[in-house]
Amino acid sequence: MSPKALTIAGSDSGGGAGIQADLKTFFRFRVYGTSALTLVTAQNTLGVQEVHLLPPELVARQIASVMEDLGADAAKTGALGSAEIVEVVAHMVRKYRISSLVVDPVMVSTSGWPLLAPEAIEALKARLFPLAYLVTPNLPEAEVLLGGRIESEKDMEVTARELHTLGPRAVLLKGGHLARGEAVDLLFDGRTFYRFSTPRLETIHTHGTGCSLSAAITAGLALGKQLPEAVSAAKRFLQRALETAPGLGRGSGPINH
């Protein structure tokens, strides 16, 4: 039986991030991908021109349709848009007992457009984080979630521990925004830190990296990999996808899924 993964996220009309990036990534890992859209964007490599949130009840119906027929070995969330959508997603995760859940706390697009209402941040922390197998914030997202500044790898360790107290089984804190020669991500499972380091690439073609990394981890979990192995495989995929980015568009282009 083919492994299956569900993505609950927004649509990127430019194809580089969101639902589109997630499904391409699932396919790359030979995992059958399903989706529940939360919002629709008019978007390209130059930025986001418009965002339209879907009704929470429609989000719930999509998840129910997938889970009651196809099911999912793992699932992930991306841009959720509003507190109401966060609440309904959390309800559906509990209802269908989705245990291998990766929560990517998407707050803004690569170009800086808000994709999560400020009042939804507390709902995300209170309702969805405790249900997550893994949360995958980058440094700016972690700073918003907890307050304060993250300026060193030691700060990252402290932050990962604090995020873990919010309820997820594990935290992957992505350190690409630190100004240093390598990109370091830290995985913390409540007991052990795992350090993942990759060379920093000088490229503008980074659109959808966060979505694609969390999707690759979700695919790994659907395939039955242990979490450190799933993260390691996802990191290798992302590095290669960045190195071979096709150079599409006139702005921050997509990676090579």
Side-chain angles (χ1 to χ4, degrees), residues 129-142:
F129 274 30
L131 303 175
Y133 184 80
L134 176 71
V135 296
T136 63
N138 60 31
L139 298 190
E141 289 163 347

Side-chain angles (χ1 to χ4, degrees), residues 10-56:
S11 170
D12 171 8
S13 56
I19 289 282
Q20 288 83 351
D22 293 344
L23 293 177
K24 291 175 187 178
T25 301
F26 293 163
F27 183 77
R28 169 63 180 80
F29 281 83
R30 299 183 178 180
V31 170
Y32 184 81
T34 57
S35 63
L37 267 67
T38 57
L39 55 87
V40 177
T41 69
Q43 183 176 177
N44 54 29
T45 67
L46 298 174
V48 178
Q49 293 80 47
E50 190 170 346
V51 177
H52 178 73
L53 271 61
L54 297 183

Side-chain angles (χ1 to χ4, degrees), residues 138-180:
N138 60 31
L139 298 190
E141 289 163 347
E143 289 174 347
V144 171
L145 288 165
L146 297 177
R149 294 283 296 167
I150 305 170
E151 298 178 338
S152 67
E153 197 169 323
K154 184 63 177 177
D155 290 345
M156 288 178 63
E157 291 183 8
V158 173
T159 300
R161 289 184 184 276
E162 291 182 12
L163 288 168
H164 188 262
T165 66
L166 297 177
R169 288 179 58 184
V171 176
L172 179 67
L173 187 57
K174 300 176 293 188
H177 288 81
L178 281 184
R180 56 187 301 166

Side-chain angles (χ1 to χ4, degrees), residues 70-95:
L70 299 162
D73 299 298
K76 64 154 291 190
T77 64
L80 298 179
S82 70
E84 292 78 11
I85 293 177
V86 171
E87 293 278 0
V88 79
V89 169
H91 172 73
M92 300 304 279
V93 168
R94 289 193 301 270
K95 178 177 180 179

Side-chain angles (χ1 to χ4, degrees), residues 98-116:
I98 301 173
S99 57
S100 294
L101 177 70
V102 177
V103 174
D104 186 12
V106 178
M107 297 180 185
V108 297
S109 69
T110 302
S111 59
W113 189 287
L115 296 174
L116 186 68

